[in-house]
Amino acid sequence: MSKKIIAGNWKQNGTLKSSISLTKKVLQAVKKEKYTHEIVIIPPSIFLLPVKDLIHKSKIKLGAQNVSAFNDGAYTGEISGSMLKDSGVDYCLVGHSERRHIINEDESDFSSKVSRLIDNDIKVIYCFGETLNDYKNKKTKLIIKRQLKKLFLNNKNNLKKHPSKLILAYEPVWAIGTGLVPSPEELVSIFKYIRDTVNNLDKKYASIKLLYGGSVTPDNASSLMDTEHIDGLLIGGASLIAKKFIDICSTI
Ligand code: PGA
């Protein structure tokens, strides 16, 4: 059976000291508990290397929060896919709602980033989901369909060749950092819809894993994971607190 994924996105938080301390605590738990799922920690880029130094002999995987849309060259301030690869990065987020709505990135940026990552053999955790307004107007499925269609159309060649390099993370924007989570019935219906939409695009995509993200806590993690078609969790706030992140890893 393929592994479930628990990923912790630290966003733009912490210090070098707190990142090292958090990593050490997760490392200890992973060694002790021998989790069968894949644990991914996603620190700010500047802390990737010190974190990698701590986890490199462990089963913990390293994720980056962002990648340049360009190959190496004169792009001040950017970090390329090959640099991430060189630093031991296994996964990278693309399309996170904060990058869509605060940094104003769009589908064409995401498409270039997906290519740069797949070219460098880094797995893409592609985030998508509807805003509160879309949700209130009952447009959740319509938005999901549009976002997924664009992703698969813009990256058709790469994704058909390397479907296992893509992980999809459904994160309703209104659930991120708010304490709100879709109801169990909503989740069942949405994840069935996502699974069907992806599978209908090409049967090669049937093995693409689906994660849920948005206000995941130790209290709701296990029921979220029991939802059909949810293969893992993408955790923001709770991944910054070692005990909460470890509790989530342990409850599932
Ligand atoms: P949250 O963030 O767990 O704090 O809601 C999730 C995310 O942004 O990936």
Side-chain angles (χ1 to χ4, degrees), residues 185-197:
E185 297 74 30
E186 285 172 323
L187 283 173
V188 167
S189 156
I190 292 164
F191 272 86
K192 182 177 177 345
Y193 182 75
I194 298 170
R195 187 77 272 165
D196 289 347
T197 305

Side-chain angles (χ1 to χ4, degrees), residues 9 11 96 171 175-177 214-216 234-237:
N9 171 15
K11 308 192 180 184
H96 191 280
E171 299 201 303
I176 297 177
S215 295
V216 177
L234 179 56
I235 302 149

Side-chain angles (χ1 to χ4, degrees), residues 189-228:
S189 156
I190 292 164
F191 272 86
K192 182 177 177 345
Y193 182 75
I194 298 170
R195 187 77 272 165
D196 289 347
T197 305
V198 172
N199 292 10
N200 286 338
L201 290 171
D202 194 307
K203 59 177 186 305
K204 281 188 191 152
Y205 298 152
S207 59
I208 290 176
K209 287 183 188 166
L210 308 183
L211 313 186
Y212 168 78
S215 295
V216 177
T217 65
D219 293 333
N220 61 22
S222 119
S223 70
L224 288 167
M225 285 301 293
D226 286 342
T227 309
E228 197 178 3

